[in-house]
């Protein structure tokens, strides 16, 4: 695995969980997995065991010269990880942040090159190199255009796109720095040239063109990427490479998210004693100063980002408290404007005994919310996979989702079962507007009050779903096996 994140040491989003979770599942099945990461200064060093230099004499060709790197080795919750540590004036990974620098494209192009150079020099010849997101998009280009001729001719690349919104756009200086010097060749429309800016190269497009197989994180999102605007300009190149493109649903880390063992909840439970879940509902109400009343508790956990449908989250909040339900929100957003809006709502509803907004990031509260709530809304405008709905189901909390991407693949509507085709385990609406989300909320609240037996059946169905890494890991193994013989 070559990636810019791995949970829990370097985590910004879902990518980190996938790299860790998939690696662990593959190892449990007897495969030898090693993870290559940048050595950031801001990593959780307390979560790395036995960190020590493992290869001190790595000289990475860069900008016509070379950069000296040390490669460190350590275990991250049992996974074997190598960390590339360049000693150069640019200090690529000592910036106190994972992303957000002006030269991010250059930093991660260097990382990709360093990872390949490390494999070449350290004699590592993995059958498959699995790269993730734009940060490692140039790796397959360098592998098949350069390293292949220096002793890495048998390696194959599977690339996973976790989010098409961030594609990695750079200028010709990156090509020069990495040694990919045939500018006219790479700038061709069917190779690296960006669809919107012909004088720029696009890392994600590069990965799509040069990898042996490309995946995204759910089958429905793979379809959306090809047929709608959700690939942000890459639909055509995906169409051209459709024979090597598919969607594999992410798995959920069943060790971290397990109501039977969760140390953050007030009472542990499983499908056999669902009534214990209501101890958590009371604990959650106590913690958030909500009144104990005979009402369903609806929650929302996640980034307050336009992708997540913030206007629908806000509407769900008011609709719930006006329609005999309680509402809890835990989230924080990258945009100050959105956060401010939710702070205003929080102040406005300060005295409401039926509503609480927690604006911030709180892992422990998130666990208690999944365990204590009756329903969870996820009204995303687009959602490559989505974890919160899967976590909710594991905790017997009914997801109310918009039918896009991975949400559509994991949730099947109680009244209109289609979606993922599995057992009915939640509510799905399609139109991203107020009547759309109201229709789903109305049906969910109605079932909770009017037909408690059926609501319990829904809870049992949700808890019976298996969204662990078991199936996704097998899909990836099939892909690895397929490209190994290509
Ligand atoms: P994203 O698009 O952010 O990756 P996902 O649904 O794939 O969305 O994953 C979100 C993960 O982050 C979930 O595990 C969720 O519990 C967690 N999370 C999001 N926001 C918060 C928060 N404010 N506090 C605690 N956990 C959060």
């Amino acid at each position: 695995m070559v990636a810019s994140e791995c949970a829990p040491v370097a985590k910004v989003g879902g990518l980190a969980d996938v790299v860790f979770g998939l690696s662990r599942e593959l190892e449990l099945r007897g495969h030898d997995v090693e993870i290559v990461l940048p050595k950031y200064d801001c990593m959780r060093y307390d979560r790395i065991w036995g960190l020590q230099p493992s290869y001190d004499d790595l000289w990475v060709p860069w900008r016509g010269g070379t950069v000296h790197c040390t490669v460190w080795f350590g275990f991250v919750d049992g996974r074997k990880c190598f960390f590339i540590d360049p000693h150069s004036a640019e200090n690529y990974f000592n910036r106190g942040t994972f992303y957000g620098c002006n030269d991010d494209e250059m930093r991660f192009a260097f990382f990709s090159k360093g990872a390949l150079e490390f494999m070449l020099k350290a004699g590592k010849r993995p059958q498959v190199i699995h790269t993730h997101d734009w940060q490692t998009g140039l790796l397959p280009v360098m592998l098949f255009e350069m390293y292949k001729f220096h002793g890495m001719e048998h390696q194959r690349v599977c690339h996973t796109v976790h989010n098409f919104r961030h594609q990695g756009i750079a200028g010709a200086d990156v090509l020069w720095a990495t040694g990919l010097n045939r500018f006219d060749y790479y700038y061709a429309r069917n190779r690296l040239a960006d669809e919107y800016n012909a004088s720029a190269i696009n890392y994600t497009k590069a990965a799509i063109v040069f990898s042996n197989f490309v995946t995204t994180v759910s089958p429905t999102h793979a379809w959306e990427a090809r047929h709608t605007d959700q690939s942000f300009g890459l639909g055509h190149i995906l169409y051209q490479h459709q024979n090597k493109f598919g969607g594999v649903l992410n798995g959920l880390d069943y060790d971290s998210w397990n109501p039977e063992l969760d140390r953050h909840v007030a009472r542990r439970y499983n499908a056999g004693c669902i009534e214990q879940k209501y101890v958590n509902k009371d604990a959650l109400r106590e913690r958030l100063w909500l009144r104990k009343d005979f009402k369903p508790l609806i929650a929302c956990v996640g980034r307050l980002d336009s992708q997540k449908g913030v206007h629908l989250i806000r509407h769900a909040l008011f609709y719930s408290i006006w329609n005999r339900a309680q509402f809890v929100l835990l989230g924080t957003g990258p945009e100050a404007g959105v956060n401010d809006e939710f702070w205003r709502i929080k102040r406005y509803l300060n005295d409401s005994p039926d509503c609480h907004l927690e604006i911030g990031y709180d892992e422990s509260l998130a666990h208690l919310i999944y365990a204590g709530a009756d329903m969870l809304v996820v009204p995303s405008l687009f959602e490559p996979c989505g974890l919160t709905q899967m976590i909710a189901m594991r905790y017997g909390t009914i997801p109310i989702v918009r039918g896009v991407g991975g949400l559509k693949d994991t949730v099947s509507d109680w009244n209109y079962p289609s979606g993922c085709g599995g057992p009915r385990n939640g509510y799905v609406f399609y139109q991203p507007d107020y009547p759309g989300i109201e229709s789903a909320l109305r049906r969910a609240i109605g079932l909770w009050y009017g037909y408690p037996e059926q609501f319990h059946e829904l809870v049992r169905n949700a808890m019976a779903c298996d969204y662990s890494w078991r199936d996704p890991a097998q899909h990836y193994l099939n892909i690895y096996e397929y490209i190994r013989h290509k």
Side-chain angles (χ1 to χ4, degrees):
M1 299 279 165
V2 183
S4 55
E5 296 180 33
C6 176
V9 282
K11 174 168 170 169
V12 176
L15 163 63
D17 295 313
V18 173
V19 171
F20 179 84
L22 176 59
S23 303
R24 183 177 55 192
E25 184 68 26
L26 293 173
E27 281 199 283
L28 289 176
R29 291 167 186 232
H31 298 274
D32 191 8
V33 184
E34 293 178 338
I35 305 172
V36 184
L37 296 159
K39 186 168 178 289
Y40 303 102
D41 56 350
C42 52
M43 279 193 305
R44 291 278 307 269
Y45 283 91
D46 57 320
R47 302 296 296 266
I48 309 175
W49 189 82
L51 185 66
Q52 56 177 318
S54 122
Y55 196 90
D56 197 24
D57 203 23
L58 185 69
W59 295 85
V60 179
W62 189 247
R63 290 199 168 126
T66 50
V67 173
H68 179 213
C69 297
T70 302
V71 182
W72 298 70
F73 175 80
F75 288 98
V76 174
D77 280 359
R79 308 283 75 72
K80 289 176 271 180
C81 294
F82 290 92
F83 302 92
I84 309 266
D85 181 15
H87 310 293
S88 71
E90 288 99 342
N91 258 331
Y92 281 139
F93 306 119
N94 298 325
R95 307 276 183 89
T97 176
F98 298 113
Y99 310 127
C101 306
N102 289 335
D103 59 346
D104 274 1
E105 276 77 12
M106 201 57 101
R107 296 167 68 216
F108 290 104
F110 179 84
F111 167 62
S112 305
K113 176 120 187 164
L116 276 174
E117 191 70 22
F118 168 57
M119 287 183 231
L120 181 72
K121 293 290 159 57
K124 292 191 179 296
R125 297 292 185 273
Q127 290 169 322
V128 175
I129 302 173
H130 194 153
T131 53
H132 297 267
D133 260 353
W134 70 264
Q135 291 87 349
T136 50
L138 291 186
L139 190 146
V141 186
M142 292 187 273
L143 174 67
F144 295 119
E145 294 286 329
M146 297 158 86
Y147 285 81
K148 176 180 168 183
F149 305 105
H150 297 106
M152 293 184 74
E153 66 270 32
H154 299 302
Q155 279 54 57
R156 296 288 177 267
V157 177
C158 171
H159 182 85
T160 299
V161 182
H162 296 256
N163 195 333
F164 279 97
R165 191 141 75 153
H166 308 288
Q167 298 184 358
I169 310 294
D173 49 341
V174 167
L175 291 182
W176 175 74
T178 50
L180 296 167
N181 286 328
R182 288 187 291 158
F183 291 170
D184 292 344
Y185 173 78
Y186 294 115
Y187 265 105
R189 182 95 198 273
N190 61 353
R191 293 201 182 85
L192 270 57
D194 185 48
E195 297 290 330
Y196 296 120
N197 178 358
S199 58
I201 59 160
N202 183 316
Y203 289 28
T204 302
K205 184 172 171 183
I208 293 169
V209 173
F210 281 87
S211 299
N212 302 100
F213 208 91
V214 182
T215 67
T216 187
V217 290
S218 67
T220 295
H221 194 58
W223 185 91
E224 291 165 346
R226 269 198 51 203
H227 298 283
T228 72
D229 56 0
Q230 291 197 22
S231 54
F232 298 92
L234 294 178
H236 182 65
I237 202 79
L238 286 172
Y239 170 73
Q240 286 181 331
H241 293 271
Q242 58 183 303
N243 293 336
K244 57 169 190 176
F245 177 59
V248 180
L249 199 66
N250 282 343
L252 188 65
D253 181 355
Y254 267 29
D255 285 345
S256 311
W257 300 107
N258 184 351
E260 276 183 286
L261 300 172
D262 197 321
R263 59 194 166 82
H264 299 290
V265 304
R267 179 71 58 84
R268 295 172 184 167
Y269 61 99
N270 59 29
C273 52
I274 296 175
E275 60 295 342
Q276 301 293 328
K277 179 173 164 61
Y278 300 107
V279 178
N280 294 308
K281 185 170 177 178
D282 281 344
L284 180 63
R285 284 169 159 167
E286 234 162 72
R287 180 158 165 183
L288 303 180
W289 300 86
L290 296 179
R291 83 171 135 204
K292 288 185 185 165
D293 208 349
F294 182 68
K295 284 183 173 186
L297 183 56
I298 302 175
C300 178
V301 179
R303 284 184 297 124
L304 298 175
D305 180 304
S306 57
Q307 170 196 339
K308 302 288 177 187
V310 271
H311 67 294
L312 297 176
I313 295 175
R314 189 188 52 213
H315 190 73
L317 185 158
F318 285 107
Y319 183 88
S320 302
I321 55 179
W322 290 333
N323 288 279
R324 302 183 294 159
Q326 294 182 316
F327 198 92
V328 169
L329 175 119
L330 170 62
T332 178
E335 295 163 39
V338 176
N339 275 341
D340 290 348
E341 182 187 347
F342 279 91
W343 271 108
R344 269 196 299 279
I345 298 173
K346 183 180 168 76
R347 279 192 288 272
Y348 174 65
L349 293 171
N350 201 20
D351 298 327
S352 169
D354 288 327
C355 178
H356 184 94
L357 285 79
E358 190 74 28
I359 298 164
Y361 191 93
D362 188 336
E363 187 92 35
S364 152
L365 180 59
H367 281 253
L368 186 59
I369 291 177
Y370 291 120
D374 295 296
M375 303 153 200
L376 182 101
V377 285
V378 195
S380 302
L381 300 185
F382 75 94
E383 190 64 79
C385 178
L387 287 178
T388 54
Q389 83 283 10
M390 295 199 250
I391 303 172
M393 285 189 264
R394 179 106 167 106
Y395 283 74
T397 301
I398 299 307
I400 299 172
V401 306
R402 175 150 183 262
V404 283
L407 298 171
K408 192 171 169 189
D409 287 327
T410 47
V411 182
S412 177
D413 192 276
W414 172 255
N415 301 108
Y416 312 104
S418 55
C420 59
R424 299 178 292 174
N425 54 12
Y427 288 91
V428 185
F429 66 97
Y430 289 90
Q431 297 305 323
D433 52 22
Y434 296 162
I437 192 164
E438 279 180 20
S439 75
L441 282 167
R442 189 180 311 117
R443 289 185 292 129
I445 296 171
L447 192 77
W448 191 92
Y449 275 112
Y451 304 92
E453 261 318 305
Q454 294 189 15
F455 192 85
H456 278 125
E457 188 186 333
L458 193 54
V459 171
R460 280 192 297 274
N461 285 355
M463 291 187 86
C465 292
D466 179 0
Y467 292 116
S468 68
W469 272 105
R470 206 185 51 151
D471 288 347
Q474 189 54 50
H475 282 298
Y476 277 114
L477 282 172
N478 294 345
I479 292 169
Y480 299 160
E481 194 58 27
Y482 168 66
I483 59 180
R484 218 156 62 81
H485 301 292
K486 263 176 91 177

